[in-house]
C-alpha cells in the first residue's frame, strides 16, 4: 500500500523518466535509483542533474536487484531492452513502462518476461512538448491520470503496490485493458498529434513569405497546434507504427466529420455551422470540471501590459477603476 | 501620430470591444467612449463594468460626433449596422472593425460609407476562448499584431493615426491587402479552428462511456484543441460563411497532406513519419522567437505539487538538491 520500492531502475531518462526520478525521490518512494541509457551524453546529463544514484550504459547492470523496473525509452526500443535485461531481472520484480500504446507493448515484452517477474504496463497521461533529462520536473504527474494494464496473471497486490507508487507521485490511477486504452488514446492523443503535425506541416510547405506571415499572426489559433507538434519525433513515430489500427479507425471518423463540415462551408449552411460550433463548448467545460485543464483564459499564457504614456486624456467619466 | 481620438464609438461589446475600451482608456487615447449593443443585458453588463461613458441600444446615437467608430459585432451583422449608422456618421470620421475576415467586410461596408468618411478595416490578431463584455482585458493586444487593410482611396494620414491608436494599445501594426489577409488567416486561424471544432465534434459523437474516458485523459493532447473550439460560435459561423474560398483552398491542402500522413501510418513508413514529425519543431521555435508564444513548457499551464509524505526513505546518495 505504501508504494515504496528498494531499488528503482529507469531504462531511458527523457522527460518522463527524469520526472519519475525527481518525483519518486522527493516523495521518498525509493532508496536507490539506477539510470540506464544508450547515449553517453544523455547519461552525463542525468548525472549532472543528480537524477539518480547509479548511472550506466548497461541496462542489465541497472536492473540487477531492482524491485521496480520502468522502461522509459521510445516503444520501438522495448524488444531489444527486454532481451538485454531479462537475464538480470530479480524474481519478484515488477517490470513496467510509460509508453503511449499498450497492446503492442504487451506483445513486445510478455514473451521475454522471466518466471517470477510481473509485467504491469503503464502510461502516465502527462507530458510537455519538451524532451530529454533536463525537461523533467517532480510535479509533472500531479492531478494527471496514470493507466495500468496488468494481464490477468498479475498478482493484484503487485498492481496495488505500483498504483500506490503512482498515487504517491500525485497521479490518479486507472486500471484498464490494453486494447481499450489504445482505442481511447487514439482519439485523445494520437489523432490530435497527427492533426497538429499535419497542419504545421502544411504551413511548412508554404512559400517563405506566407510562412513568415503565418508565424507573425500565429496567435490567431495556429500556435496552439505547434505545441504538441513540437513533441519528440521518434516517440511519436513509434506510437503510429504500433497503434495503427486504432489510429486509422479514429482517423476515418475524423475525416468523415471533416467532410461534413467542409460541405457546410461550401454550401454556406450557417445553421449547421453554428450548431456544430456550439456543442463543442460543453466538452471543454467537462475537462475543466474534471481538473484536467485550467479555467484561465488562453491556457493562462502570460500577457504583458503596454507602457502607460505620460500625458493621457483626463478621465472625465465614472468607470471601474476605483476599487 | 499620437493615436488619440475625441470620441470612440464601439458597436458591439464582446471580448474585443471591451478590451479596446479598457486599453484605450488606460492608455489615455480617447476622451469619450460610446458603447452600443443590441441586447439590453449586454449593455447593462458593460455599464456595470464601467467600460464606457455613453451606453445605448441605438448604434446611430453612439456614432454621432465620433471621430473613430469600430464595429465589434460578428461580421454577419455589419451590413445592417452600417445602414443604421451611415446617416449619423460625422464627416472626417474613420470607420473600422475587428472582424476576422476582410474582403467580405469591404464588400459589406464600402457601398454604405458616406462621402467624407474613411473606411479602414482592421483585425487585431488577439483573443481568448472567452466571450462577452466581462472577458476583455487591457493587455489583450500587447505584443500582438493588428492588420489594417485600407483601400487606395484612404488618406495615409488617417491610416497612420489609426495605426498609432493600435500601437498605443501595445499592438504591432501591419498594412495588407484584404485578400492577402484572408488567405493568410485561412491557414493561420480559420483552418485551425475548423479542425479543432471537428475533432472536438468527433469526440462529442462518441458513446458516453468513451467520452468520459477521453475527458479524463485529455491532458494527452486533446485538451489543447478544446480551447479554440470553445470560441464564440456565431463569430466563427460568420467567418466560414464569409471567407469560403480561402478556407476551402487551404482545407484542400490540409486534406491532401493528411492523406499522405495516413498512408504512411497504414504502410508503417517509419522514416517518413519521423521526417514529418521533425520538421514541425522549427516552426514553433520561430513563433517563440517572434514573441508570439511563450517558451514555457505546456503554455505555462500551472502544475501543482503532490503533498510530501511524513516518512520518506532517507536519502543516501548525492543528488541535485543542495544548491
Amino acid at each position: 500500500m505504501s508504494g515504496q520500492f528498494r531499488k528503482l531502475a529507469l531504462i531511458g531518462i527523457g522527460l518522463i523518466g527524469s520526472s519519475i526520478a525527481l518525483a519518486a525521490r522527493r516523495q521518498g518512494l525509493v532508496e536507490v535509483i539506477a539510470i540506464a541509457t544508450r547515449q553517453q551524453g544523455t547519461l552525463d546529463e542525468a548525472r549532472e542533474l543528480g537524477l539518480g544514484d547509479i548511472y550506466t550504459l548497461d541496462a542489465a547492470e541497472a536492473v540487477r536487484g531492482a524491485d521496480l523496473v520502468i522502461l522509459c525509452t521510445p516503444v520501438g526500443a522495448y524488444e531489444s531492452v527486454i532481451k538485454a535485461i531479462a537475464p538480470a531481472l530479480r524474481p519478484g520484480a515488477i517490470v513496467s513502462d510509460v509508453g503511449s500504446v499498450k497492446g503492442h507493448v504487451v506483445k513486445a515484452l510478455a514473451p521475454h518476461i522471466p518466471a517470477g517477474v510481473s509485467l504491469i504496463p503503464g502510461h502516465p497521461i502527462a507530458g510537455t512538448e519538451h524532451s530529454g533529462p533536463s525537461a523533467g520536473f517532480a510535479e509533472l504527474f500531479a492531478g494527471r491520470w496514470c493507466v495500468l494494464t496488468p494481464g490477468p496473471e498479475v498478482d493484484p497486490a503487485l498492481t496495488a503496490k505500483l498504483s500506490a507508487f503512482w498515487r504517491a507521485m500525485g497521479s490518479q490511477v486507472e486500471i484498464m485493458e490494453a486494447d481499450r486504452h489504445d482505442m481511447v488514446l487514439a482519439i485523445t492523443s494520437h489523432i490530435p498529434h497527427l492533426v497538429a503535425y499535419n497542419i504545421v506541416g502544411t504551413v511548412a510547405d508554404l512559400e517563405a513569405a506566407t510562412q513568415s506571415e503565418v508565424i507573425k499572426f500565429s496567435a490567431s489559433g495556429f500556435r496552439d497546434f505547434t505545441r504538441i507538434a513540437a513533441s519528440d519525433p521518434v516517440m511519436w513515430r513509434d506510437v503510429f507504427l504500433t497503434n495503427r489500427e486504432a489510429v486509422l479507425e479514429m482517423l476515418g471518423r475524423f475525416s468523415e466529420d471533416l467532410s461534413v463540415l467542409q460541405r457546410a462551408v461550401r454550401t454556406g449552411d450557417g445553421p449547421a455551422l453554428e450548431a456544430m460550433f456550439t456543442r463543442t463548448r460543453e466538452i471543454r467545460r467537462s475537462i475543466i470540471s474534471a481538473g484536467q485543464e485550467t479555467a484561465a483564459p488562453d491556457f493562462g499564457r502570460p500577457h504583458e501590459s503596454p507602457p502607460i504614456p505620460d500625458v493621457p486624456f483626463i478621465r472625465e467619466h465614472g468607470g471601474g477603476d476605483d476599487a
Side-chain angles (χ1 to χ4, degrees), chain A:
Chain A
M1 275 305 291
S2 73
Q4 293 187 334
F5 291 87
R6 194 79 200 163
K7 180 181 176 186
L8 165 65
L10 295 168
I11 314 302
I13 192 73
L15 166 67
I16 303 292
S18 60
S19 295
I20 294 174
L22 292 166
R25 174 114 298 155
R26 171 183 172 147
Q27 302 301 111
L29 300 174
V30 292
E31 246 178 302
V32 176
I33 299 176
I35 291 170
T37 184
R38 281 195 313 175
Q39 310 262 2
Q40 185 66 53
T42 311
L43 196 66
D44 293 344
E45 204 182 339
R47 187 186 282 113
E48 277 155 33
L49 291 162
L51 296 174
D53 309 294
I54 297 165
Y55 302 91
T56 172
L57 294 171
D58 180 357
E61 178 58 30
V63 308
R64 214 174 299 280
D67 44 352
L68 177 59
V69 176
I70 306 181
L71 274 53
C72 305
T73 67
V75 169
Y78 281 15
E79 199 163 346
S80 68
V81 168
I82 193 68
K83 283 181 183 165
I85 65 173
L89 288 168
R90 185 192 110 162
I94 294 172
V95 172
S96 189
D97 80 311
V98 297
S100 306
V101 298
K102 297 272 67 80
H104 171 86
V105 162
V106 174
K107 275 183 225 130
L109 297 182
H112 305 283
I113 300 287
V117 171
S118 300
L119 172 64
I120 308 178
H123 179 201
I125 316 287
T128 77
E129 69 279 21
H130 293 191
S131 319
S134 64
F137 52 100
E139 299 79 16
L140 180 63
F141 310 113
R144 300 284 84 83
W145 287 87
C146 180
V147 175
L148 300 179
T149 64
E153 77 289 355
V154 173
D155 177 356
L158 292 179
T159 301
K161 192 177 177 191
L162 185 59
S163 298
F165 175 81
W166 280 103
R167 275 197 294 269
M169 293 195 293
S171 281
Q172 308 178 76
V173 174
E174 179 101 348
I175 311 292
M176 288 174 87
E177 292 196 357
D179 289 349
R180 175 81 185 162
H181 166 278
D182 289 355
M183 195 275 281
V184 173
L185 269 289
I187 187 68
T188 316
S189 178
H190 308 170
I191 298 302
H193 277 81
L194 199 70
V195 164
Y197 277 122
N198 191 64
I199 197 162
V200 180
T202 302
V203 167
D205 284 341
L206 296 172
E207 42 145 8
T210 310
Q211 206 180 109
S212 83
E213 286 171 325
V214 171
I215 287 165
K216 255 188 203 173
F217 306 143
S218 59
S220 55
F222 178 69
R223 65 175 176 172
D224 283 20
F225 287 66
T226 64
R227 188 185 80 79
I228 61 177
S231 302
D232 185 55
V234 172
M235 176 196 144
W236 281 99
R237 176 199 67 191
D238 287 357
V239 167
F240 292 107
L241 293 177
T242 56
N243 196 26
R244 174 164 50 187
E245 272 145 62
V247 165
L248 291 175
E249 155 68 20
M250 286 299 172
L251 193 53
R253 294 189 194 203
F254 172 85
S255 296
E256 262 175 43
D257 292 347
L258 192 60
S259 298
V260 174
L261 213 39
Q262 181 168 351
R263 177 179 295 265
V265 171
R266 190 182 298 283
T267 60
D269 187 346
L273 291 171
E274 190 180 341
M276 284 188 268
F277 298 166
T278 300
R279 68 184 185 143
T280 50
R281 286 189 147 181
E282 187 50 45
I283 301 256
R284 184 165 177 86
R285 277 192 284 266
S286 305
I287 293 174
I288 292 168
S289 306
Q292 296 303 308
E293 176 63 292
T294 174
D298 208 13
F299 302 122
R301 278 189 182 107
H303 289 273
E304 287 160 30
S305 297
I308 293 178
D310 290 338
V311 192
F313 276 118
I314 305 298
R315 179 138 184 212
E316 296 172 339
H317 302 266
D321 269 350
D322 3 47

